Amino acid sequence: MRLKYLNKTIVYMLLIIWALLSIYPLLWMIGASLKDQAEVFSSYSLFPDNVWHWNTYVEVWNRIEFFKYFLNSVNVTFWTLVGIILLFTMAGFAFAKLEFKGKSFLFYMFLGMMFVPGITVLIPLYLTESSLHLLDSHLGLILPMVNGSAPIAIFLFRNYFRSIPHEIYESVKMEGASIFRILFQIYIPLAVPAIATITIMNFLSSWNSLVLPMVLLNSQKLFTLPLAIIFLDTGVFRQWNVLMAGSLIAVGPVILAFIFFQKYYIQGLSSGAIKS
Amino acid sequence: MNTDRFHRKASFREALSAYVLLAPAVILFLVIGLFTVLFSIWLSFYHLGQGSLLSSAKFAGLDNFKDFLIGRDQLLAESFWRALGNNLIICVSMVLLVIPISLVLSVLLQNITRGVRFFRTLFLLPMVTSSVAIYYVWTGIYEPEGSLNKILSAVGLDKLLAVNGWIGELHTALPAVILVIVWGAVPFTMILYFAGLQSIDQHLYESAEIDGANFWRKLLHITWPILKPITVIAIIINLNGAIQIFDQVWVMTKGGPAGTTEVVSVLIYKEAFLGTGDLGRANAMGWTMFALTFALSLISIRSLREKA
């Protein structure tokens, strides 16, 4: 909505204020990671006054082998995303294009799960995984993460597949292609925008996930980045510079991904919520 | 006849492929979803100590619920109701702060011609960085020696300083945590509004102006009909988020000081996985929270229907 009488100066001032508020914590993180331990709170300046202590990063790396945790996060996030996309494009396609008994029952069964908060089933999940010997493994973390995104992913894929003109489906089917071929060779390639949306949405939540790994993982060697950061915080006093260097290693890839895929991100979020 | 049989055969094959396509998702759902939900309901009516075998669970009837709902266990009931109260305060803050801030920002953003992309990128950063890492930064900002106190004393507002840090004092801890929650929640809602505003055809305003419509009429008849459903969706999403808040509180305060920032998820986690709590009781609290989420969602969906 264009407002005629809004003063441009005021508009820009308000925008700049919120922009500073948005970026300040990130700058603080970068600044603190480069400061000397004693300088983090003593100095007024956001960045180190004299020496930039790049060796903090080396320290984080050496102290807790940060790269291991980084790879753990990559591993968990990657397989979670693969699981989500594979399982729910298939399910979404079945719901969008095929006729079968129990269709609406199954569909609402998946959607209904949306109402169950994660924390409600956290304890039985822990007990179930313990009896299935899935506890303390990455697989045990990936499975509930995939399952947790079922309602939204199935819903979005179903809607997306429905929006593709039905003539395509009919004509390929007439030529005798199997349903699996239609899905994997025609529909999934067409669904790249929807896949991008789902990927970005779930990349963030699985990369940042805290409570699930906290409950399901015990061995330090399996820790994901959020747990590794909390692990950096154990000790008599907080080493802010080290903690911030570790944090930046965790947040960095997300910011890079966001900057590169910003367009899809915004399109996905807004189309997902507004058109549904 | 022949074509009929062909169709029946085709539809059988179609159904079969559908089941094959759905099988992995359904199996995962049955084990990790449905089973844990049923298990969870069962567990709510049993006592089960931490680390004890499942076979040692003792039937508790409604005791688990009575413990925290009507104060059979006085201390736990106090913590529970305080935590629930905090969750509701967070819910109200989401509606009263996140929605208007997001709306204003998106309108402002629509009114500028230069730097839209630049501002949008910066505004979205809290959403992508919202995680353990950033919550530690906020902890640092709130420290007694942190930026917030430094800024306040620099502008001469020494009276407002939080001597023990903003999350260290009883009366400032919850507002400080809420500020972080709001900060992280604004970007998503703002993008929704921004996309909604972009979708309005500018010609509508022009022709309304020709018809002599004033600012308020245009707001009421053109802008609001687009923004209302977005507002409903934004409220549902923010309320659900507010009820499930965990990470922020866990990293910054663990519910302290003296329980002033405790939320239900954190209480459940502590009861179930720290100290000597009861898994059954923790689970019962989980289901109470489910009931709340469900009720809130139903109310929001009903109001969504009304607009149609």
Side-chain angles (χ1 to χ4, degrees), chain B residues 219-238:
Chain B
L219 187 68
L220 195 65
H221 295 289
I222 303 173
T223 316
W224 184 236
I226 304 267
L227 294 188
K228 188 183 170 186
I230 296 176
T231 307
V232 176
I233 290 171
I235 288 177
I236 295 177
I237 292 172
N238 280 311

Side-chain angles (χ1 to χ4, degrees), chain A residues 161-174:
Chain A
F161 286 139
R162 273 184 162 185
S163 73
I164 297 171
H166 196 63
E167 290 78 27
I168 299 181
Y169 178 74
E170 288 296 335
S171 66
V172 189
K173 213 179 148 193
M174 287 296 245

Side-chain angles (χ1 to χ4, degrees), chain B residues 165-223:
Chain B
W166 285 80
I167 49 179
E169 293 207 26
L170 296 178
H171 63 288
T172 55
L174 187 60
V177 170
I178 289 176
L179 176 68
V180 178
I181 295 171
V182 169
W183 174 86
V186 162
F188 176 77
T189 312
M190 189 200 65
I191 277 298
L192 292 187
Y193 277 128
F194 189 63
L197 288 171
Q198 296 284 52
S199 74
I200 304 176
D201 189 353
Q202 290 303 317
H203 296 303
L204 280 177
Y205 291 113
E206 284 159 25
S207 54
E209 269 164 39
I210 294 166
D211 293 341
N214 62 19
F215 172 78
W216 295 108
R217 284 189 70 93
K218 284 185 288 179
L219 187 68
L220 195 65
H221 295 289
I222 303 173
T223 316

Side-chain angles (χ1 to χ4, degrees), chain B residues 229-303:
Chain B
I230 296 176
T231 307
V232 176
I233 290 171
I235 288 177
I236 295 177
I237 292 172
N238 280 311
L239 287 184
N240 274 316
I243 293 174
Q244 299 192 40
I245 284 292
F246 178 91
D247 298 8
Q248 289 93 330
V249 172
W250 185 257
V251 173
M252 293 197 290
T253 66
K254 300 222 168 22
T260 43
T261 60
E262 190 92 275
V263 286
V264 181
S265 314
V266 170
L267 190 63
I268 293 173
Y269 180 84
K270 284 180 180 168
E271 173 77 13
F273 300 105
L274 299 181
T276 53
D278 184 327
L279 289 176
R281 207 158 64 170
N283 225 7
M285 286 195 254
W287 279 104
T288 310
M289 204 166 71
F290 163 77
L292 197 73
T293 327
F294 193 69
L296 277 177
S297 302
L298 277 189
I299 295 168
S300 323
I301 289 170
R302 176 155 292 184
S303 52

Side-chain angles (χ1 to χ4, degrees), chain B residues 69-145:
Chain B
L69 282 178
I70 58 167
R72 231 180 62 110
D73 180 326
Q74 185 106 39
L75 269 178
L76 188 74
E78 274 170 24
S79 316
F80 178 79
W81 287 106
R82 188 175 46 201
L84 195 62
N86 287 341
N87 272 107
L88 292 179
I89 293 173
I90 297 171
C91 282
V92 173
S93 323
M94 296 297 256
V95 177
L96 293 186
L97 296 174
V98 174
I99 303 285
I101 293 174
S102 313
L103 186 54
V104 168
L105 284 177
S106 59
V107 169
L108 292 178
L109 205 52
Q110 237 226 339
N111 274 280
I112 61 170
T113 40
R114 272 186 197 190
V116 177
R117 259 183 70 100
F118 172 75
F119 280 113
R120 208 179 49 187
T121 308
L122 290 186
F123 288 174
L124 285 181
L125 276 178
M127 177 167 58
V128 293
T129 56
S130 228
S131 67
V132 170
I134 283 288
Y135 305 145
Y136 270 116
V137 173
W138 280 100
T139 312
I141 292 172
Y142 288 147
E143 287 277 290
E145 294 285 298

Side-chain angles (χ1 to χ4, degrees), chain A residues 1-2 8 24 41 99, chain B residues 14 110-111 147 150 289:
Chain A
M1 185 169 68
R2 303 270 170 211
K8 288 284 163 191
Y24 181 78
F41 290 111
E99 286 308 323
Chain B
E14 188 175 302
Q110 237 226 339
N111 274 280
S147 321
K150 280 211 181 86
M289 204 166 71

